[in-house]
Amino acid sequence: VFAQLVYVAAASAAKSRVLASVSHDLRQPLGALALYLDLFKDRNDQSAAFEWRRHVDRMDMCVQAMEGNLARLLEIGRLQSDNHCVPVRNVDVEGLLTRLQSVYALQASTSKIALSFPPVPLECRWAISSDTRMFEVLSNLLHNALKFTQQRHGAGGGDVSVRALTVDAGIEIRISDNGPGIAEADQEKIFEEYVQVANSGRDHRKGYGLGLAVVRQIIDSLPGHDVRVTSTLGSGAWFSVILP
């Protein structure tokens, strides 16, 4: 009976983590979608049809991101229970970063953050990974970079970049910012569930501390992948995702 109670308690905790993590990942594309819809409400100029079409395309990408997060409800339990490896295939890195830029460009502009995506070098164009899983990983990391950079710089001066470059292990996608940075003692803790070094009061309006835990879980399920953080407190941070 005791063993069964332990099992039920663990299953209940896992279910709560799944629901909280999906809620966390749905907030950004849903928020971006709302911002794009506000643009439509505020504009009646028929000559802006081309600009409207561009916003519709970005809204579609936001919806796709939400669909991907909901689909994870069917798989994340299996990832947690048996370390199931996610199937991989050739992934267009340039296309992946283009989607990411479309979802986050408006948020960065609204927050007066300079968000840059340098051109992807030819040798970094293709990786062996999971397109949907990598979008989730990069989306979490970019969301954090924008959020903390805005918290530090407020009305201006924030700078975030997403670039692809070659490393010995394969391809590195680096998301760097000039936000508050992360103390060396906290750099391993941030990948643990419910850890928020800047939210000791557990204010759920600031999230649940699941974003980077989800990133670590996804990376561990992808063969040959890794995630690293380099930061000095007060001098920004960069997160590197390594893909074969």
Side-chain angles (χ1 to χ4, degrees):
V1 171
F2 177 77
Q4 288 299 312
L5 287 173
V6 170
Y7 174 80
V8 170
S12 178
K15 180 185 69 174
S16 298
R17 288 196 299 269
V18 169
L19 293 175
S21 67
V22 170
S23 172
H24 174 278
D25 289 345
L26 284 175
R27 283 203 308 270
Q28 169 54 35
L30 184 59
L33 192 59
L35 287 173
Y36 285 124
L37 287 172
D38 285 340
L39 289 177
F40 277 89
K41 295 175 184 176
D42 294 339
R43 300 187 64 175
N44 296 310
D45 183 4
Q46 296 298 322
S47 65
F50 177 77
E51 185 71 12
W52 287 13
R53 179 63 196 177
R54 191 160 64 94
H55 290 323
V56 168
D57 290 339
R58 289 178 172 177
M59 289 165 66
D60 182 58
M61 290 187 177
C62 291
V63 171
Q64 292 179 28
M66 293 169 66
E67 289 176 344
N69 285 321
L70 288 171
R72 195 176 64 191
L73 277 171
L74 302 175
E75 299 182 27
I76 194 168
R78 181 170 54 179
L79 284 172
Q80 290 178 331
S81 63
D82 61 6
N83 295 319
H84 173 73
C85 285
V86 174
V88 295
R89 61 180 181 83
N90 286 335
V91 169
D92 181 354
V93 173
E94 184 177 56
L96 181 65
L97 297 189
T98 298
R99 287 169 51 208
L100 196 69
Q101 184 177 19
S102 296
V103 170
Y104 285 89
L106 186 59
Q107 179 190 343
S109 176
T110 304
S111 303
K112 295 181 172 56
I113 294 174
L115 176 60
S116 61
F117 283 75
V120 175
L122 184 61
E123 60 271 22
C124 298
R125 180 66 188 272
W126 295 96
I128 301 173
S129 187
S130 164
D131 186 85
T132 56
R133 289 289 187 257
M134 283 311 305
F135 185 84
E136 293 174 37
V137 166
L138 297 175
S139 181
N140 265 305
L141 296 178
L142 182 53
H143 170 77
N144 283 349
L146 292 171
K147 178 176 70 173
F148 290 112
T149 298
Q150 182 186 18
Q151 288 179 7
R152 181 184 183 189
H153 294 279
D159 188 6
V160 176
S161 70
V162 183
R163 67 177 67 241
L165 55 153
T166 56
V167 293
D168 291 341
I171 297 170
E172 175 186 350
I173 299 178
R174 180 183 299 174
I175 298 179
S176 56
D177 63 67
N178 63 344
I182 306 166
E184 184 176 357
D186 293 325
Q187 290 178 17
E188 285 301 319
K189 297 178 185 177
I190 58 175
F191 290 101
E192 299 174 8
E193 292 178 339
Y194 305 109
V195 171
Q196 292 176 290
V197 296
N199 186 18
S200 58
R202 307 307 302 160
D203 182 354
H204 284 175
R205 291 173 297 178
K206 300 179 181 179
Y208 289 87
L210 285 165
L212 292 179
V214 170
V215 165
R216 170 62 72 187
Q217 181 190 64
I218 293 173
I219 291 297
D220 288 346
S221 73
L222 291 165
H225 288 59
D226 195 11
V227 60
R228 305 165 185 169
V229 58
T230 302
S231 180
T232 301
L233 193 61
S235 301
W238 79 64
F239 285 82
S240 299
V241 180
I242 310 300
L243 303 83

